[in-house]
Amino acid sequence: MNLTLRQARLADAPMLAILNQELIRAEQSVNPMNLAQLTERMVRFLQEQWEAQILLSQGEIVGYALYQYRSNEVNPGKLQVYVRQYMIRDAYRRRGYGRAGIRLLQSNVFPESTELIIDVLESNPEGRQFWASMGFAAYCTTMKL
């Protein structure tokens, strides 16, 4: 598997919004945003304190990661990476690209020994299963009324 990363630029926002829309559908999210709104939001993310990496295989877009570096609230000297969005396109799922992408980010982008934080929607059991298989464990449950 030939997987590479490319730092996303502001010009990538429309394409990232399309991928985000695919992610929203796959997660069965209740996010009502249309493509224009997702594009506008992605532009804001990339202009503010967020970064994105595009995952590529032989020039084809496999997926992306949108993340932010944060200080650990309990241990301020320890760095965390909050991965807000991680998406592998449907055609590449269950073929090892998701795992390879996370490993590539850990070895080439995220500083060594950085704690990774993710949110997984309850409506996304496949996502929960994937992240658990990568060694992630539930830390808290956010509940809504």
Side-chain angles (χ1 to χ4, degrees):
M1 168 182 321
N2 182 21
L3 192 63
T4 60
L5 297 169
R6 178 175 69 75
Q7 178 80 36
R9 300 177 294 270
L10 199 53
D12 294 314
M15 178 268 300
L16 290 170
I18 291 169
L19 295 175
N20 188 201
Q21 195 171 52
E22 287 182 37
L23 176 63
I24 288 167
R25 286 188 195 118
E27 292 178 321
Q28 299 178 47
S29 171
V30 297
N31 184 333
M33 297 173 92
N34 63 34
L35 191 55
Q37 292 167 320
L38 291 171
T39 301
E40 185 179 309
R41 181 175 73 160
M42 192 62 72
V43 165
R44 281 194 316 272
F45 282 145
L46 295 175
Q47 287 176 331
E48 294 173 4
Q49 296 178 352
W50 294 88
E51 295 182 40
Q53 292 286 331
I54 298 168
L55 286 78
L56 302 158
S57 179
Q58 299 175 357
E60 294 292 320
I61 296 171
V62 171
Y64 76 102
L66 178 72
Y67 57 93
Q68 181 182 66
Y69 293 100
R70 297 179 174 180
S71 180
N72 183 313
E73 292 177 5
V74 177
N75 184 356
K78 186 169 173 93
L79 186 66
Q80 294 178 329
V81 177
Y82 172 58
V83 180
R84 182 183 175 105
Q85 299 170 6
Y86 183 75
M87 184 267 200
I88 300 297
R89 301 188 86 177
D90 195 46
Y92 297 94
R93 289 191 186 152
R94 295 172 200 78
R95 295 174 47 194
Y97 286 96
R99 290 178 188 283
I102 290 296
R103 289 187 189 114
L104 200 56
L105 287 163
Q106 287 179 296
S107 63
N108 294 305
V109 178
F110 304 150
E112 192 174 326
S113 304
T114 301
E115 184 177 48
L116 297 181
I117 308 294
I118 58 163
D119 294 328
V120 182
L121 297 179
E122 289 294 314
S123 59
N124 185 10
E126 288 179 7
R128 281 196 317 272
Q129 185 178 19
F130 168 76
W131 292 110
S133 76
M134 291 291 299
F136 286 77
Y139 174 71
C140 72
T141 300
T142 302
M143 302 176 84
K144 292 183 177 184
L145 177 63

